[in-house]
C-alpha cells in the first residue's frame, strides 16, 4: 500500500521550498516505483493515491438537481431535461446563477495564438493508429464489480492469458476470495487483493476494431473518493457499475452510498456520458430477472436526471455479468436472457461519440505521475492541443523548457498524439525530482496560468456539522485536474441570489450549506489552473474537507495575474 492521506499531504509539505519547487510531493505514487523499475510499459499502472483517513459518511446527495445549473456546467438541453418534480426534490434549494458581472473578464481566446512549437502540420498517419481513443472510468459503490468487469474486459480482449488467470484463481482461493480472481487483473497490489478492495485507480488498455480504450478502474470505498476524483477527471465516459444482487443495489443507492456520490461527482468533473451497467445479473437472487433490471433503471433514471445527465441522450443501461463475461464482448444468447435485445458492453462502448477536441489548441497536459527512465518520463492525458516528437514545451509552474524526446501511447511509441490521449512522454531539460504531479506540460508561447490566488464561483454543498459556517479562513483540500492542494478562502466576494440569480450587492461575511457564492481562494504554492470558460476541464474543481465534498466550483477570474510575477 503506497497511498497516504493526501487530505493531509499539503499540510505536510515543506513550504520553505515553495519558490524553488524542488520538493517532491509527500504523497506517494505506486506507479513511480513500478514503472521506473523497468520501462517495459506496464499495463496496470496506478494513478496517484491518497486519502486513507477514516472519514465521516460521505454524502453528496444534496448535490442533486441544482448543482450543475448553479455553476452553469450543464448545457441548455440538459437543463431542459430536468423536470420540475426533480427540482422540488432537490435539497438544499439553491439557484441557477449566471456569471456574476463583477467576475467577468474579457475572454482571452486561448486557442487564438498559433502554436509555433509545432514545426510542421501534424499528419494523422503520424499518430500510428487512426482509431479513435476513449478514456473510460469505472465508478460505483464498493464491491459492485468494477475491477471484475475491468479484468474480464482485458481477458476477453486477449490482454491476459489463460495461465495468468489460472494463477490468479489459485491465489484468490488461497485468500478465501475465490470469485475475486478476475478483479486481481486490475487490483494489483497486495492490500487490494487481501481486502478485495481497490485503493488506487487501476489503469489498463484494450482495443476494439474501432476504438482504443484506456480504462480507469476507480475504487468504490468511500475512503478513497479522492482517488476516484482523480480517475474521473481524466475520463471521457463513465461506466457506472451497479450490483443487481439483492440488498447490494439498495445499499449503494441509499443516501451516502457511492452509486449516488460517484454519479454526481463524475458529472461535476466533466464526465457527461454514462453507461449504467447492471452487473451480477447471474446472481441467484437475480437470475437475469427483467423485473429487477427494470426496477433498478426506474430508480436510477430520475436520480441521474437530477444530477444533470440527459438520460435520453447521454445515458444507456445494459445488463451484464462481469464474473461470467455475459453480454460483454458478445451479445447474450436468448437462453441466458430472453428479454434483452440491446447491445453488449463492447458495442455500447464503441458507439460512444467522442467529445470534439481541437488538435491545434494550446497544449495542456496535466501530469498525474512522473518517473525516471533514461531521462524524465511524465504521464498524463492531453486536455488540449497535440504533441509530436521534437516539440519544445514548458513544464508549468516552474517554467522549465523541455524537449519532447519520445511519446508513448499505450504500449507503442508514436510521433504524434492528439488531444484526449493518455500518454507517457520522455522529456529532456528537466530533472524528474523537479516535477510534481499537478504540474502541467504546456505550450511555450501560451503557457497555462500559474497562480496563488483565483476567484471562483462555488456551490456550497452540505458543510460539516462542526464547521457549518463557510467564511474567510475556511480551509479545505482543492482538487482541480491533477492538483491536490490545501487552500484557504480569503474572502467572500458576493453571494448569488437564488431567486433572481444575480449577485447580491450586500456585503457577505459568511454563508451556509446550499449557498452559491463567489469567493477568493488562495493556495500556498503556485498551481496551474484555467478559467472554466476557457478550458472547462482545467477550471472545474471540488473542495473537500475531512473526506467529504463540501463544495464544487469553477474558476472565474485571476485577480493578480496580469503583470504580476505569478505568471
Ligand atoms: P471496489 O474496488 O472495492 O470498489 O470493488 P469493485 O467494484 O471493484 O468489485 P470487485 O470487482 O472487487 O468485485 C466484488 C465482488 O463481487 C467479488 O466477489 C466479485 O467476484 C463479485 N462479482 C463481481 N462481478 C460479479 C458478477 O457479475 N456476478 C457475480 N455473481 N459476482 C460478481
Ligand atoms: Mg475494484
Amino acid at each position: 500500500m503506497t497511498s497516504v492521506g493526501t487530505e493531509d499531504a499539503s499540510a505536510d509539505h515543506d513550504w520553505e521550498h515553495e519558490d524553488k519547487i524542488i520538493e517532491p510531493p509527500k504523497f506517494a505514487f505506486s506507479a513511480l516505483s513500478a514503472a521506473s523499475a523497468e520501462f517495459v510499459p506496464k499495463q496496470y499502472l496506478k494513478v496517484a493515491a491518497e486519502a486513507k483517513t477514516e472519514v465521516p459518511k460521505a454524502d453528496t446527495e444534496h448535490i442533486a438537481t441544482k448543482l450543475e445549473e448553479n455553476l452553469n456546467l450543464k448545457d441548455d438541453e440538459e437543463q431542459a431535461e430536468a423536470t420540475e418534480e426533480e427540482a422540488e426534490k432537490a435539497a438544499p434549494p439553491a439557484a441557477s446563477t449566471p456569471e456574476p458581472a463583477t467576475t467577468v473578464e474579457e475572454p482571452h481566446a486561448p486557442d487564438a495564438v498559433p502554436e509555433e512549437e509545432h514545426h510542421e502540420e501534424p499528419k494523422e498517419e503520424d499518430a500510428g493508429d487512426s482509431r479513435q481513443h476513449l478514456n473510460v472510468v469505472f465508478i460505483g459503490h464498493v464491491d459492485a464489480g468494477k475491477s471484475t468487469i475491468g479484468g474480464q474486459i482485458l481477458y476477453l480482449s486477449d490482454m491476459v492469458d489463460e495461465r495468468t488467470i489460472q494463477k490468479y484463481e489459485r491465489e484468490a482461493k488461497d485468500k478465501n476470495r475465490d470469485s475475486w480472481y478476475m478483479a486481481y487483473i486490475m487490483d494489483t497490489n497486495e492490500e487490494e487483493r487481501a481486502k478485495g478492495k481497490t485503493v488506487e485507480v487501476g489503469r489498463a488498455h484494450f482495443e476494439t476494431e474501432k476504438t482504443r480504450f484506456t480504462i480507469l478502474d476507480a475504487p468504490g470505498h468511500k475512503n478513497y473518493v479522492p482517488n476516484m476524483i482523480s480517475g474521473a477527471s481524466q475520463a471521457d465516459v463513465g461506466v457506472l457499475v451497479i450490483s443487481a444482487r439483492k440488498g447490494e443495489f439498495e445499499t449503494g443507492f441509499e443516501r451516502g452510498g457511492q452509486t449516488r456520490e460517484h454519479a454526481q461527482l463524475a458529472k461535476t468533473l466533466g464526465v457527461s456520458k454514462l453507461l449504467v451497467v447492471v452487473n451480477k445479473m447471474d446472481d441467484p437472487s437475480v437470475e437475469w430477472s427483467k423485473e429487477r433490471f427494470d426496477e433498478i433503471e426506474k430508480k436510477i433514471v430520475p436520480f441521474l436526471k437530477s444530477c444533470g445527465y440527459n438520460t435520453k441522450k447521454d445515458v444507456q443501461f445494459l445488463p451484464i455479468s462481469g464474473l461470467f463475461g455475459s453480454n460483454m464482448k458478445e451479445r447474450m444468447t436468448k437462453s441466458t436472457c430472453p428479454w434483452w435485445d440491446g447491445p453488449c458492453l463492447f458495442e455500447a462502448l464503441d458507439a460512444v461519440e467522442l467529445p470534439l477536441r481541437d488538435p491545434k489548441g494550446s497544449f495542456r497536459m496535466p501530469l498525474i505521475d512522473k518517473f525516471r527512465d533514461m531521462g524524465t518520463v511524465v504521464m498524463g492525458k492531453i486536455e488540449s492541443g497535440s504533441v509530436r516528437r521534437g516539440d519544445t514545451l514548458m513544464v508549468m509552474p516552474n517554467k522549465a523548457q523541455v524537449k519532447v524526446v519520445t511519446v508513448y501511447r499505450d504500449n507503442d511509441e508514436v510521433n504524434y498524439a492528439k488531444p484526449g490521449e493518455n500518454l507517457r512522454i520522455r522529456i529532456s531539460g528537466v530533472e524528474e525530482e523537479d516535477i510534481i504531479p499537478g504540474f502541467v506540460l504546456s505550450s511555450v508561447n501560451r503557457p497555462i496560468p500559474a497562480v496563488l490566488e483565483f476567484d471562483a464561483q462555488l456551490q456550497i454543498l452540505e458543510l460539516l456539522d462542526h464547521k457549518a459556517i463557510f467564511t474567510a479562513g475556511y480551509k479545505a483540500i482543492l482538487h482541480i485536474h491533477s492538483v491536490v492542494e490545501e487552500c484557504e478562502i480569503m474572502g467572500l466576494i458576493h453571494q448569488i441570489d437564488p431567486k433572481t440569480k444575480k449577485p447580491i450587492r450586500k456585503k457577505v461575511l459568511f454563508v451556509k450549506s446550499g449557498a452559491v457564492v463567489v469567493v477568493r481562494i488562495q493556495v500556498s504554492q503556485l498551481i496551474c489552473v484555467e478559467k472554466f470558460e476557457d478550458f472547462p476541464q482545467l477550471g472545474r474543481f471540488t473542495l473537500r474537507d475531512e473526506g467529504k465534498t463540501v463544495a464544487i466550483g469553477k474558476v472565474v477570474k485571476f485577480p493578480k495575474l496580469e503583470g504580476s510575477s505569478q505568471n
Side-chain angles (χ1 to χ4, degrees):
M1 170 54 220
T2 50
S3 62
V4 295
T6 308
E7 301 282 347
D8 303 314
S10 37
D12 288 340
H13 206 91
D14 182 357
W15 303 122
E16 275 173 38
H17 291 98
E18 66 184 71
D19 52 342
K20 295 183 203 141
I21 318 177
I22 53 167
E23 280 291 296
K26 289 288 190 278
F27 36 95
F29 293 86
S30 66
L32 243 63
S33 45
S36 51
E38 41 166 349
F39 192 60
V40 179
K42 298 260 174 190
Q43 223 169 36
Y44 317 120
L45 289 184
K46 298 280 182 171
V47 180
E50 41 139 53
K52 261 297 262 175
T53 20
E54 229 12 84
V55 293
K57 199 173 178 185
D59 179 5
T60 54
E61 183 174 3
H62 48 277
I63 308 176
T65 311
K66 289 291 183 176
L67 173 151
E68 293 278 331
E69 298 148 57
N70 290 343
L71 290 162
N72 296 336
L73 301 182
K74 224 161 52 156
D75 64 38
D76 291 346
E77 210 174 328
E78 285 170 343
Q79 295 209 17
E81 182 69 16
T83 62
E84 270 179 38
E85 193 193 330
E86 288 142 20
E88 273 162 27
K89 275 190 235 147
S96 295
T97 44
E99 198 69 37
T102 49
T103 59
V104 173
E105 273 189 353
E106 281 298 302
H108 65 255
D111 298 339
V113 185
E115 294 301 287
E116 70 210 16
E117 301 95 312
H118 294 301
H119 307 297
E120 324 151 25
E121 194 67 10
K123 291 189 209 76
E124 189 74 15
E125 54 273 24
D126 284 350
D129 195 323
S130 56
R131 282 177 293 183
Q132 63 172 14
H133 173 256
L134 211 60
N135 298 288
V136 185
V137 67
F138 287 78
I139 55 175
H141 195 70
V142 67
D143 282 353
K146 299 174 291 297
S147 303
T148 302
I149 295 168
Q152 184 70 257
I153 286 177
L154 295 184
Y155 178 60
L156 292 173
S157 51
D158 295 327
M159 304 295 282
V160 187
D161 61 36
E162 199 69 49
R163 270 181 51 200
T164 310
I165 295 284
Q166 283 163 5
K167 185 174 143 251
Y168 289 161
E169 256 177 298
R170 284 195 301 274
E171 217 177 290
K173 219 177 180 120
D174 288 348
K175 292 190 166 75
N176 286 326
R177 293 197 166 274
D178 300 30
S179 72
W180 251 267
Y181 67 99
M182 272 290 166
Y184 278 17
I185 300 173
M186 297 303 299
D187 291 337
T188 49
N189 81 37
E190 264 315 302
E191 186 198 356
E192 291 177 323
R193 289 183 177 180
K195 294 194 177 153
K197 307 247 171 311
T198 305
V199 176
E200 299 161 1
V201 178
R203 174 183 290 262
H205 311 290
F206 82 102
E207 41 194 59
T208 60
E209 261 177 41
K210 194 179 144 207
T211 318
R212 290 178 300 104
F213 293 95
T214 298
I215 52 180
L216 303 153
D217 173 30
H221 195 279
K222 63 180 190 294
N223 281 5
Y224 310 124
V225 169
N227 293 4
M228 174 272 168
I229 291 174
S230 151
S233 69
Q234 298 168 61
D236 306 304
V237 55
V239 174
L240 176 62
V241 180
I242 291 172
S243 168
R245 185 180 282 163
K246 196 161 181 233
E248 288 191 356
F249 160 66
E250 286 73 13
T251 314
F253 192 54
E254 67 194 21
R255 260 183 93 98
Q258 273 59 53
T259 302
R260 285 174 185 264
E261 185 175 30
H262 281 196
Q264 289 158 342
L265 280 170
K267 181 70 181 153
T268 311
L269 293 161
V271 177
S272 55
K273 300 213 185 264
L274 266 194
L275 291 181
V276 183
V277 160
V278 181
N279 188 34
K280 307 198 188 181
M281 289 297 289
D282 64 278
D283 189 77
S285 69
V286 187
E287 287 182 331
W288 296 95
S289 151
K290 180 172 181 338
E291 286 68 36
R292 181 63 164 165
F293 180 81
D294 290 345
E295 178 199 353
I296 291 172
E297 179 167 356
K298 217 167 130 210
K299 287 188 174 148
I300 299 265
V301 162
F303 167 72
L304 291 180
K305 278 188 188 169
S306 77
C307 293
Y309 285 99
N310 180 336
T311 49
K312 290 206 184 83
K313 211 175 76 189
D314 295 327
V315 178
Q316 186 175 8
F317 282 74
L318 61 159
I320 66 162
S321 164
L323 192 58
F324 294 100
S326 317
N327 206 33
M328 289 184 63
K329 190 175 180 187
E330 272 152 29
R331 289 189 181 202
M332 276 174 296
T333 53
K334 290 280 169 203
S335 60
T336 312
C337 183
W339 49 269
W340 181 251
D341 285 323
C344 59
L345 181 61
F346 278 41
E347 283 175 307
L349 282 170
D350 251 345
V352 172
E353 272 177 37
L354 269 181
L356 279 179
R357 299 162 174 145
D358 177 12
K360 292 196 181 133
S362 299
F363 189 72
R364 301 282 185 269
M365 180 169 122
L367 305 181
I368 52 159
D369 211 341
K370 48 102 193 232
F371 52 92
R372 199 196 304 262
D373 180 80
M374 296 189 314
T376 303
V377 180
V378 291
M379 289 172 62
K381 176 190 163 199
I382 307 182
E383 290 297 350
S384 164
S386 41
V387 65
R388 61 184 306 143
R389 194 174 15 196
D391 278 354
T392 302
L393 295 172
M394 187 175 274
V395 178
M396 290 294 287
N398 55 348
K399 296 184 182 166
Q401 276 223 7
V402 296
K403 199 128 198 127
V404 174
V405 180
T406 328
V407 181
Y408 294 97
R409 197 192 55 200
D410 304 342
N411 300 336
D412 308 318
E413 206 180 307
V414 292
N415 288 330
Y416 163 67
K418 293 181 284 191
E421 296 282 2
N422 249 292
L423 302 175
R424 279 164 295 117
I425 302 183
R426 181 177 290 116
I427 48 181
S428 65
V430 69
E431 291 301 318
E432 175 254 343
E433 57 264 29
D434 292 340
I435 294 178
I436 54 176
F439 281 15
V440 177
L441 199 53
S442 112
S443 308
V444 175
N445 57 356
R446 185 161 182 80
I448 185 169
V451 297
L452 289 170
E453 267 189 356
F454 61 89
D455 291 352
Q457 186 171 313
L458 291 183
Q459 158 77 61
I460 311 289
L461 306 174
E462 199 174 304
L463 293 165
L464 302 173
D465 287 344
H466 60 282
K467 281 172 88 177
I469 301 287
F470 191 88
T471 181
Y474 193 103
K475 288 192 175 133
I477 304 294
L478 168 74
H479 292 254
I480 185 162
H481 59 87
S482 53
V483 170
V484 183
E485 190 71 51
E486 193 181 36
C487 71
E488 183 172 346
I489 305 303
M490 301 314 286
L492 274 47
I493 297 169
H494 58 250
Q495 204 175 341
I496 306 284
D497 185 312
K499 289 201 189 81
T500 65
K501 301 163 189 171
K502 298 235 165 69
I504 302 172
R505 295 283 163 211
K506 219 166 61 190
K507 198 167 176 181
V508 55
L509 291 175
F510 67 90
V511 291
K512 294 186 179 172
S513 298
V516 181
V517 63
V518 175
V519 301
R520 181 151 302 168
I521 295 179
Q522 193 179 75
V523 287
S524 308
Q525 56 184 355
L526 287 172
I527 57 166
C528 296
V529 300
E530 292 277 8
K531 281 190 279 176
F532 179 82
E533 63 179 9
D534 296 337
F535 294 82
Q537 212 50 27
L538 303 173
R540 48 160 56 101
F541 63 89
T542 56
L543 290 185
R544 291 176 57 82
D545 193 7
E546 297 183 20
K548 207 176 144 184
T549 309
V550 292
I552 59 166
K554 60 177 184 177
V555 179
V556 293
K557 190 180 173 187
F558 300 127
K560 287 189 191 158
L561 194 63
E562 266 72 49
S564 83
S565 58
Q566 286 185 16
N567 196 17

